[in-house]
Amino acid sequence: MRTQEAEIAFLRAQINPHFLYNALNSIAALCATKPQKAEEVVIELSQYLRRSFDFKRIDAMTTLAKEMELLEAYLYIEKTRFGERLQVEYDIDETINLPIPHLILQPLVENAVRHGLMKAIAGGTVIISVKRQETEAVFTIEDNGIGIEKERISGLLEEKPESGGIGIWNINQRLMMLYKKGLTIESEVLKGTRVVFCLPLTDIKQTGRWNGKKGDRPV
């Protein structure tokens, strides 16, 4: 029990304090010039925080619809900060509706945004894809950012780092524990990174389905 509690505390601690600090700064700046936009960002931030903390076990499951709502709230806030430097594309098979581990997509997308795209002067695009492939749902997070050196990729997956990359390592560990299959990372320096994981499709009926558009959410 203590191990699970420690893991949950660790997951919650991944909600980056720099992200919160920057989000609040963005809200403060908007208050003077665009108060209605500031209000919208506050609502999205509150929804993001509520959904991020809404689990009690390390193996807790949510629906794809709820995980996409969390992801959209995060990206809405980041687009408020970065504007046209951050482009987002969705390619979601809306017929897929399966249990998914809580807080598993957003940290991967956050890594793509923070470490891949925003370190490039021009920014770039992150593509979130969920596709059906035989008996599995294939999740892909792809960016056209600065990329990762090949020698660093195995370390991100296999060794808990002293700093940085914790989200990648933690998600890989959770997937291995639940499904015996972890993340696949492909990357090329200055061209971008592609992170893939697969979940088994089941006949379990889940309520709700993500109904977002297959395109960028306007800010």
Side-chain angles (χ1 to χ4, degrees), residues 57-70:
R57 303 195 322 274
I58 193 66
D59 59 350
M61 306 296 279
T62 185
T63 64
L64 177 57
K66 289 182 179 179
E67 193 72 2
M68 290 303 302
E69 288 173 0
L70 172 67

Side-chain angles (χ1 to χ4, degrees), residues 38-219:
E39 181 181 357
E40 292 172 3
V41 178
V42 168
I43 291 171
E44 292 290 347
L45 181 60
S46 66
Q47 293 296 317
Y48 169 79
L49 292 173
R50 181 181 63 81
R51 292 173 184 135
S52 296
F53 287 98
D54 188 23
F55 65 102
K56 296 181 172 62
R57 303 195 322 274
I58 193 66
D59 59 350
M61 306 296 279
T62 185
T63 64
L64 177 57
K66 289 182 179 179
E67 193 72 2
M68 290 303 302
E69 288 173 0
L70 172 67
L71 181 58
E72 276 207 305
Y74 163 75
L75 287 169
Y76 183 87
I77 296 164
E78 289 294 64
K79 276 191 66 63
T80 298
R81 289 178 57 205
F82 297 119
E84 294 302 312
R85 289 185 65 213
L86 174 58
Q87 299 297 315
V88 183
E89 295 180 9
Y90 297 101
D91 186 10
I92 311 294
D93 182 341
E94 295 176 13
T95 68
I96 295 175
N97 195 18
L98 78 167
I100 180 173
H102 189 89
L103 200 61
I104 206 150
L105 274 177
Q106 183 271 330
L108 293 176
V109 174
E110 182 174 353
N111 268 282
V113 172
R114 291 180 57 220
H115 301 297
L117 299 179
M118 291 305 109
K119 288 187 177 180
I121 294 175
T125 302
V126 58
I127 302 172
I128 300 103
S129 169
V130 185
K131 291 300 201 180
R132 188 184 302 269
Q133 184 173 303
E134 297 180 351
T135 60
E136 293 182 318
V138 181
F139 294 74
T140 306
I141 295 90
E142 188 170 3
D143 69 75
N144 59 353
I146 64 171
I148 306 170
E149 297 86 352
K150 289 184 178 179
E151 56 269 21
R152 287 188 57 220
I153 292 176
S154 60
L156 290 174
L157 295 175
E158 297 171 5
E159 300 176 8
K160 183 176 179 180
E162 293 182 3
S163 63
I166 292 176
I168 294 283
W169 179 87
N170 183 275
I171 289 170
N172 191 60
Q173 293 298 306
R174 291 168 64 200
L175 289 170
M176 291 296 296
M177 180 186 74
L178 293 169
Y179 304 103
K180 310 301 181 187
K181 184 189 293 188
L183 298 170
T184 299
I185 301 178
E186 301 171 355
S187 188
E188 189 171 347
V189 174
L190 300 182
K191 290 193 175 180
T193 302
R194 177 185 174 96
V195 180
V196 180
F197 67 93
C198 300
L199 300 184
L201 292 168
T202 71
D203 294 327
I204 298 174
K205 293 183 179 179
Q206 297 291 318
T207 58
R209 180 181 295 171
W210 181 67
N211 293 316
K213 295 180 181 179
K214 294 180 181 178
D216 196 8
R217 178 175 181 168
V219 173

Side-chain angles (χ1 to χ4, degrees), residues 20-31 38 41 77 80-82:
L20 294 178
Y21 175 80
N22 290 326
L24 291 172
N25 271 347
S26 296
I27 292 167
L30 288 170
C31 284
V41 178
I77 296 164
T80 298
R81 289 178 57 205
F82 297 119

